Amino acid sequence: MPLVPPYIESLRPYEAGRNAEEIQREYGLARVSKLASNENPLGPSPLALQAMARTVESLHLYPNGGLDLRRVLAEKFDLKTENVIAGSGSEGIMSNIIRTFLGDEDEVLTTEAAFIGFQVLAKSRGVKYRTVPYRDWHYDLAALAREINDRTKIIYLANPNNPTGTIFTKHEFDDFYRHVPERVLIILDEAYFEYAKDNPRYPDSMHYRYDNVITLRTFSKIYGLAGVRIGYGFAHEDLIANCLKVKLPFEPSTVAQAAGIGALADKEFLHRSLELNARGLKFLTNALREMGLTVVPSEANFVMIVLPAAEQAALLNGELLQQGIIVRPLTAFGLPKCIRISTGTDEDHQRCVEAMQKSEVVAVCKS
Ligand SMILES: Cc1ncc(COP(=O)(O)O)c(C=O)c1O
């Protein structure tokens, strides 16, 4: 038996989006726009910042496992505290779910090129990881339903999906759910929930409080708290009780929990972030389409473009970097022809479009 199991040996460590200072130095640029990691360009929620500052006097004390935030969330969403979990980002909770529910013989089922954080977590558990292809860049829920077998334990669905930005609808989810046995756990990852919630076709999973569905949400995106690591989940109390047995007892940190509570009260910031994002999505989608690029319609805070070949995607990424625009090439997700561009400030969008207009790769796609 080797020291490192083969399923760990074959993983590649997560590569974070390139950082702005590094690119600025490398290419000698005056200004860089980082549109690579679906972060909030407005910075952190001001009320979250105030709440975090108030915790400094008590940082010598251990945190209470997210209990304060769980209570606030339970009240806000009309649930019991027992139905709520808080953790170090939604990925922290995903990691708990995988440790709690997966046995060696179990299988995980999801779409091809799913959110990379989930891919890494599931594969590092060493269980069989099965996927079905996208249909027109959407989850193919009918195909997923057909793939469920006796060993399927977890089905992972991100809605809106990262990296495509697409959603599945209420109607599609209802149809799908009828085919899922009760012994199968569905993870509904709603990291981008706030961006999609006003779309009447979007199935807010609060209406799906079934016994085998766990919803995950985060403060990393719309509330601008990616660096703080705070996320939450809703599920049947038995599911939560078992996750709590596995969770690190002092996760989330005192600072992270306070940030979450502060952010939930920050309606003004939420609205400002939504407005900026809607403007950015529209501007980027229209401008890039006018250049002849294929842009997948998005319900999140990023757009995915599809180039004719992997080589063109790599070249375009290089051209954009040279002009100070950091985007996300999607080879590591499993989509080498695709690039994901997060929304930013109005100025970032303008700079991104100008850089694209100067691109030789884009000029070739247009002709
Ligand atoms: C679909 C999806 N789920 C989860 C996460 C991770 O969020 P968190 O920062 O809460 O761990 C991301 C972040 O990019 C994401 O895109």
Side-chain angles (χ1 to χ4, degrees):
M1 182 65 179
L3 180 63
V4 181
Y7 55 86
I8 299 288
E9 188 81 56
S10 63
L11 291 175
R12 295 212 346 238
Y14 177 77
E15 274 177 47
R18 305 272 312 261
N19 111 6
E21 290 73 36
E22 187 189 308
I23 297 298
Q24 202 159 5
R25 243 182 287 120
E26 192 172 324
Y27 295 95
L29 296 159
R31 189 160 169 7
V32 166
S33 296
K34 181 169 183 255
L35 305 176
S37 303
N38 306 341
E39 294 150 338
N40 190 328
L42 295 176
S45 138
L47 292 189
L49 287 177
Q50 287 172 21
M52 284 190 275
R54 285 194 296 270
T55 63
V56 290
E57 299 288 320
S58 62
L59 290 181
H60 59 301
L61 301 174
Y62 280 105
N64 65 1
L67 187 59
D68 301 345
L69 176 58
R70 291 172 66 207
R71 286 188 175 135
V72 172
L73 286 163
E75 169 128 21
K76 178 174 163 71
F77 291 101
D78 198 17
L79 297 165
K80 289 187 289 181
T81 307
E82 289 76 14
N83 295 120
V84 186
I85 187 167
S88 294
S90 47
E91 271 199 75
I93 305 172
M94 249 182 247
S95 162
N96 285 331
I97 295 171
I98 282 173
R99 285 190 295 140
T100 307
F101 297 103
L102 281 181
D104 292 346
E105 303 305 320
D106 292 335
E107 295 186 3
V108 167
L109 180 60
T110 185
T111 184
E112 68 171 332
F115 167 55
I116 193 145
F118 179 77
Q119 288 193 46
V120 170
L121 282 171
K123 289 174 184 170
S124 68
R125 177 63 184 79
V127 296
K128 192 158 182 192
Y129 180 91
R130 292 169 55 239
T131 61
V132 301
Y134 285 119
R135 194 165 40 86
D136 197 18
W137 301 115
H138 289 70
Y139 274 85
D140 188 342
L141 291 182
L144 275 167
R146 284 193 298 274
E147 285 298 315
I148 296 171
N149 65 26
D150 290 348
R151 294 198 163 167
T152 307
K153 174 60 80 67
I154 289 181
I155 300 178
Y156 171 80
L157 310 173
N159 201 33
N161 182 43
N162 176 13
T164 59
T166 51
I167 61 166
F168 51 82
T169 64
K170 281 183 187 144
H171 177 69
E172 287 166 330
F173 184 72
D174 288 341
D175 260 6
F176 170 73
Y177 187 77
R178 283 193 283 117
H179 296 96
V180 181
E182 274 174 19
R183 57 167 179 83
V184 177
L185 177 67
I186 301 175
I187 302 179
L188 269 182
D189 181 342
E190 295 183 342
Y192 302 95
F193 158 79
E194 293 85 354
Y195 300 101
K197 70 179 185 343
D198 295 330
N199 179 340
R201 298 170 72 231
Y202 178 71
D204 175 348
S205 71
M206 288 308 290
H207 301 126
Y208 298 97
R209 287 281 49 94
Y210 302 133
D211 292 357
N212 61 341
V213 175
I214 183 156
T215 298
L216 297 181
R217 292 189 187 159
T218 183
F219 291 98
S220 296
K221 306 297 173 186
I222 195 90
Y223 292 110
L225 296 171
V228 177
R229 313 307 304 134
I230 182 75
Y232 58 98
F234 300 124
H236 186 281
E237 55 202 69
D238 291 347
L239 295 183
I240 298 290
N242 282 295
C243 286
L244 290 177
K245 293 177 194 167
V246 167
K247 185 180 85 63
L248 295 178
F250 301 120
E251 181 188 312
S253 73
T254 304
V255 177
Q257 165 162 261
I261 295 172
L264 284 174
D266 208 341
K267 302 271 182 297
E268 193 274 331
F269 185 74
L270 181 82
H271 290 305
R272 209 151 36 95
S273 301
L274 283 174
E275 266 177 31
L276 175 61
N277 184 63
R279 207 159 61 231
L281 276 187
K282 200 163 158 195
F283 179 80
L284 286 175
T285 306
N286 290 341
L288 300 178
R289 282 196 180 143
E290 272 166 30
M291 287 179 216
L293 292 167
T294 302
V295 185
V296 177
S298 171
E299 305 275 345
N301 66 344
F302 53 86
V303 289
M304 187 174 90
I305 59 174
V306 188
L307 280 299
E311 196 190 354
Q312 281 157 318
L315 285 173
L316 176 59
N317 180 47
E319 287 180 327
L320 293 174
L321 278 180
Q322 281 185 13
Q323 296 186 69
I325 309 294
I326 313 178
V327 295
R328 184 69 151 170
L330 296 174
T331 306
F333 276 68
L335 298 175
K337 289 186 198 171
C338 301
I339 283 182
R340 194 189 66 198
I341 308 172
S342 309
T343 57
T345 60
D346 292 324
E347 191 193 344
D348 291 326
H349 305 144
Q350 194 64 46
R351 295 187 67 240
C352 176
V353 167
E354 280 166 17
M356 289 275 192
Q357 278 159 344
K358 290 188 200 144
S359 152
E360 285 177 27
V361 173
V362 174
V364 172
C365 291
K366 201 169 189 172
S367 59

